[in-house]
Amino acid sequence: MTFNPLEQRGIPLDRQLRSWRELNVDPIDPDHCDPYTRCRIITMNGIEVEAILFSHQLARNTVDPEVKRQLARVRYIEAQQQKVVNWLLPGVSSVLETTIAYEQVAVDLTAWVARMEPDPYLKQAYQFGVLEDFDHLYRYANLYEMIEHRKAESIVDGLTEVMPGRPTRLHHRDPVDNVRDPYVKDETNPLSKLHALTIMSAEQQTMNFYMNTGPTYMEPIARQLYQEIGLIEEEHVTHYESLVDPGETWWEQLVNHEYNECYLYHSFMEQESDPKVKAIWELHLNMELEHLHAACDLMRRHDGRDPASVLAPELPNVLTFEPNKGYLRELLDTQMDLTTLGAGYVREAHERFERMQEQIHGGEAPPSDRVMTQHDEMFGREYRVQTEGEHPDPAQREK
């Protein structure tokens, strides 16, 4: 069944305000929930945070007081939505447990987008990035067993494998080599715009999460690992945000943000297994339909264009959280040795890359390597979840 959010009306904006009682939702049970329910929650929090931050930036760049007021009305509702979504996460989960869930999102969301992306250049950008998040999941899972003496399989539940990706020490690149070429807004598939905005938003919230939670640990190796991977998440945000055409007007970007929220709430409503959470996705979708219409009105008024000229005529197939083990193993087998040069990808360690490596590592093992050494000293082995057999790269198999 096709669904065109431009033709649907939702809850009128003046009826969307919720009381504290309505905002105070019960969190999911971390021991009995579907891991992908948690992934959907984390994803939607990132999407809502991006919508709020973008609205603030637009408000700071317009002189029209009525536009500022309209943005403020919608943004306050978006802020309530963000609180409801993020407060679904259980307070009993540790920061490290939430971190592992964040990396499961990064792996399975990015892998799915890479599989579905119609543009070869954009597809390669997602394939490149996902192998790095895959390795982050592996490093954090080993830290988790060291610090909390628990295993990450209780979080990922066998849906996502845990083993080496592209080694984290090799993710540190000269900043200029993290900037990709953007899609061309008037030529690209509308689905590509949604993909780029989704992955950028998800990586942005991971960057912010690590920036703020990293120093809350007492253990030196944990503080150091969050610092290292936090810097790489900054690289990833640069990598993904540069895919978006900077020629899109503020109004075009606004309708893209609202349309993407409709797309994701609709997608997650369609596949959600938790009835309580599903009801929230449905409610928020009906709110977002009105936010989209408000954004479309602003675009018509200030951009002089019909939003239908830049948006998909109907929502694409639902974005799905599902295992991507075979796809990831294929990438592990074929793309482990890639790095970036300018806006492209190469297999050799070029001069700029080697200079960055020398400067940041200073001849010492980085935290991502030392966490594995310390784990091996404690347990005499690595922590892995390899449900589909040995690592596809013989060099990455356990000794």
Side-chain angles (χ1 to χ4, degrees), residues 343-358:
Y345 305 88
V346 295
R347 296 192 184 275
E348 68 271 11
H350 53 86
E351 183 180 349
R352 253 196 327 255
F353 175 80
E354 291 182 332
R355 185 169 61 247
M356 181 70 176
Q357 289 279 302
E358 290 169 6

Side-chain angles (χ1 to χ4, degrees), residues 255-301:
V255 298
N256 283 339
H257 276 76
E258 298 296 356
Y259 192 97
N260 195 44
E261 288 186 272
C262 291
Y263 169 49
L264 292 173
Y265 275 127
H266 179 262
S267 293
F268 294 168
M269 181 187 74
E270 289 290 298
Q271 63 191 273
E272 184 55 65
S273 57
D274 184 320
K276 175 188 67 182
V277 178
K278 183 184 180 78
I280 292 172
W281 301 152
E282 184 175 10
L283 174 63
H284 286 190
L285 171 61
N286 280 295
M287 292 178 168
E288 291 297 344
L289 290 170
E290 285 303 299
H291 299 179
L292 175 61
H293 284 288
C296 288
D297 289 342
L298 287 172
M299 183 176 178
R300 292 187 193 96
R301 201 176 327 147

Side-chain angles (χ1 to χ4, degrees), residues 153-369:
E153 60 229 52
S154 64
I155 301 169
V156 301
D157 198 27
L159 298 169
T160 311
E161 293 191 282
V162 179
M163 56 184 174
R166 182 178 301 117
T168 291
R169 68 177 177 277
L170 302 179
H171 302 177
H172 304 280
R173 297 172 286 273
D174 189 291
V176 303
D177 293 316
N178 291 315
V179 179
R180 310 272 70 79
D181 290 334
Y183 60 68
V184 180
K185 66 185 183 73
D186 296 326
E187 299 175 11
T188 196
N189 188 311
L191 178 61
S192 295
K193 298 180 183 181
L194 303 182
H195 285 167
L197 186 52
T198 297
I199 301 300
M200 180 196 78
S201 302
E203 291 289 320
Q204 175 180 256
Q205 83 154 341
T206 304
M207 176 187 73
N208 292 339
F209 185 63
Y210 296 168
M211 283 197 296
N212 289 303
T213 60
T216 63
Y217 275 94
M218 293 178 62
E219 295 85 355
I221 189 60
R223 295 171 66 87
Q224 293 159 14
L225 186 63
Y226 273 90
Q227 190 174 79
E228 181 182 6
I229 295 180
L231 280 170
I232 294 162
E233 296 302 341
E234 198 290 323
E235 292 187 291
H236 284 184
V237 175
T238 299
H239 175 80
Y240 291 123
E241 73 186 5
S242 59
L243 297 176
V244 177
D245 189 338
E248 291 176 349
T249 67
W250 283 103
W251 315 107
E252 203 169 340
Q253 293 179 65
L254 181 63
V255 298
N256 283 339
H257 276 76
E258 298 296 356
Y259 192 97
N260 195 44
E261 288 186 272
C262 291
Y263 169 49
L264 292 173
Y265 275 127
H266 179 262
S267 293
F268 294 168
M269 181 187 74
E270 289 290 298
Q271 63 191 273
E272 184 55 65
S273 57
D274 184 320
K276 175 188 67 182
V277 178
K278 183 184 180 78
I280 292 172
W281 301 152
E282 184 175 10
L283 174 63
H284 286 190
L285 171 61
N286 280 295
M287 292 178 168
E288 291 297 344
L289 290 170
E290 285 303 299
H291 299 179
L292 175 61
H293 284 288
C296 288
D297 289 342
L298 287 172
M299 183 176 178
R300 292 187 193 96
R301 201 176 327 147
H302 297 278
D303 226 14
R305 289 188 294 162
D306 184 354
S309 67
V310 300
L311 298 173
E314 62 188 45
L315 291 182
N317 291 333
V318 295
L319 185 150
T320 306
F321 270 101
E322 62 188 17
N324 295 276
K325 297 176 186 179
Y327 185 73
L328 286 161
R329 282 176 167 268
E330 179 185 339
L331 297 179
L332 290 167
D333 192 36
T334 58
Q335 297 197 22
M336 285 275 279
D337 57 348
L338 287 184
T339 189
T340 58
L341 177 62
Y345 305 88
V346 295
R347 296 192 184 275
E348 68 271 11
H350 53 86
E351 183 180 349
R352 253 196 327 255
F353 175 80
E354 291 182 332
R355 185 169 61 247
M356 181 70 176
Q357 289 279 302
E358 290 169 6
Q359 289 177 316
I360 196 161
H361 296 317
E364 299 180 14
S368 55
D369 284 353

Side-chain angles (χ1 to χ4, degrees), residues 29-40 97 100-105 107-108 137 141 144 150-162 273 321-325 383-388:
D29 181 342
D31 296 323
H32 299 98
C33 75
D34 177 350
Y36 283 149
T37 292
R38 182 167 41 217
C39 287
R40 286 185 281 270
E97 286 169 334
I100 290 168
Y102 265 61
E103 294 296 349
Q104 185 178 27
V105 168
V107 168
D108 280 326
L137 173 61
Y144 181 52
R150 299 181 68 186
K151 298 182 185 297
E153 60 229 52
S154 64
I155 301 169
V156 301
D157 198 27
L159 298 169
T160 311
E161 293 191 282
V162 179
S273 57
F321 270 101
E322 62 188 17
N324 295 276
K325 297 176 186 179
Y383 175 80
R384 299 188 181 202
V385 178
Q386 297 179 152
T387 61
E388 310 304 301

